[in-house]
Amino acid sequence: MNLLLLTPSDFIAESRVRLTGRPLQHVLEVHRSQTGDSIRVGMLNGEMGEGIIVSLTEQAMEMDVCLDQAPPEPLPLTVLLALPRPKMLKRSLQHLSSLGVKKIILMNSYRVEKSFWQSPWLSEGKIHEQLILGLEQARDTLLPEVILEKRFKPFVEDHLPAIMEDKRGFVAHPVGGVPCPHQIDDEVVLAIGPEGGFIPYEVEKLEEAGFERIHLGSRILRVETAVTAIVSKLYD
Amino acid sequence: MNLLLLTPSDFIAESRVRLTGRPLQHVLEVHRSQTGDSIRVGMLNGEMGEGIIVSLTEQAMEMDVCLDQAPPEPLPLTVLLALPRPKMLKRSLQHLSSLGVKKIILMNSYRVEKSFWQSPWLSEGKIHEQLILGLEQARDTLLPEVILEKRFKPFVEDHLPAIMEDKRGFVAHPVGGVPCPHQIDDEVVLAIGPEGGFIPYEVEKLEEAGFERIHLGSRILRVETAVTAIVSKLYD
């Protein structure tokens, strides 16, 4: 945790917060902080700054906080991710959140197992939890939006055109594309397939919607590694 | 497993292999293959190709293999990694292996906990296991070399100059550097610090050895994410 995220309910006065639970445990056990120490804090969806610990017990911690710094710039990127298996979903959400992606669409694809849509990791609370972990890692406060699209064709035909407006679309696909470009300025919608990849019909539908195929060379990377690799090439 | 790695002891005739254990379980349970199916195979440190299953039981599998393709080009990169905590070490080794890094030096640093050097994950067998998982993921056959350097100063002063010959050195450090460059042609030695980063003395020693400071912006990424990000920027 490189940033302690605050919410309005933590405030007991204008610049005083009172924390219990997971943040308190972390400060006690990992930071091993003491009264008087300062901790980097941020308001969820707001500014960042420092908190000075004014009291600390096993039950609760109080801090005086000063929030005066803007969070890092969001990436100009929307990620369409074919729903991964639960364990990888969890990691991918943390990952995307820590990279600065602010719009994530989890979508269906032929090779997505139906059971993945029943995963408890898709609950709003569990998704929120992973996104928060990513923000705390990266020192960011802006919570990404996550949208679930359980039907491929209606999504691509009816919702995707509005999402694509004024943006470039890239679909990561090992066959028939160009190497992933570096250091572009455009807003991008990036589609990443499931394990085993999109089927040809799906790649064609995405191409009809204006997507270009890109690849990462002959090595096959895991979904979360591929996301980091593409984001890192596209932007500074 | 996107590639099944073979070793000389698997061969029972010139182009016939017999497999048991983990590869067999994977073929039975994940690929759900049958006699006649083909599987992508590669000889450890050798060529890649296809294997055709000629017999398959719960006890063993036999395949006829044809190895006629070169593995992917290695990255022109040596990674110096401050020894991470065991769980992260495991993931980082898999990661570096799947990205195509062929020389990995695990080194000491002030912020590396001494106990990490006692981890069973540092045994030759465990390291080998993680590297193999990375190769199987990426479809590569060339096993990376892993070197342990338990003392920072003797390593940097006595061994590093020879490693650095004709290469550029980059140290990932959040303060005082330039943004990580993109698409370079040079051979690189990349130093990545521990959680919390290198201490100033260590960064200075690396700078004396010819390293340049680079950063990845204001977001703090985990070691394994930072490695992927830097490799992806530096090379196509």
Side-chain angles (χ1 to χ4, degrees), chain A residues 5-20:
Chain A
L5 276 172
L6 307 170
T7 58
S9 64
D10 296 325
F11 281 78
I12 53 172
E14 204 193 324
S15 60
R16 170 76 56 99
V17 294
R18 186 170 194 279
L19 298 166
T20 57

Side-chain angles (χ1 to χ4, degrees), chain A residues 77-81 168-172 188-192 211 214 226-227 230-231 234:
Chain A
L77 180 67
T78 299
V79 172
L80 310 184
L81 194 62
R168 284 176 80 176
F170 292 128
V171 48
V188 165
V189 181
L190 170 65
I192 308 250
F211 280 71
I214 59 168
V227 169
I230 294 171
V231 165
L234 291 180

Side-chain angles (χ1 to χ4, degrees), chain B residues 9 12 16 20 40 61 114 206 219:
Chain B
S9 64
I12 53 171
R16 172 73 58 95
T20 58
R40 195 178 282 258
M61 167 174 70
K114 283 211 179 66
L206 289 167
R219 288 192 179 81

Side-chain angles (χ1 to χ4, degrees), chain A residues 129-193:
Chain A
E129 212 172 280
Q130 301 309 314
L131 298 174
I132 293 289
L133 287 173
L135 295 179
E136 289 175 342
Q137 164 64 42
R139 291 190 185 165
D140 192 355
T141 66
L142 304 177
L143 193 69
E145 177 188 15
V146 175
I147 298 165
L148 309 189
E149 290 283 359
K150 297 192 185 182
R151 296 169 66 208
F152 180 85
K153 194 163 170 251
F155 165 65
V156 172
E157 290 183 350
D158 303 337
H159 299 173
L160 195 50
I163 297 168
M164 280 286 284
E165 216 165 290
D166 299 321
K167 301 189 187 76
R168 284 176 80 176
F170 292 128
V171 48
H173 197 64
V175 186
V178 296
C180 177
H182 279 252
Q183 291 179 290
I184 63 170
D185 282 327
D186 315 274
E187 274 201 75
V188 165
V189 181
L190 170 65
I192 308 250

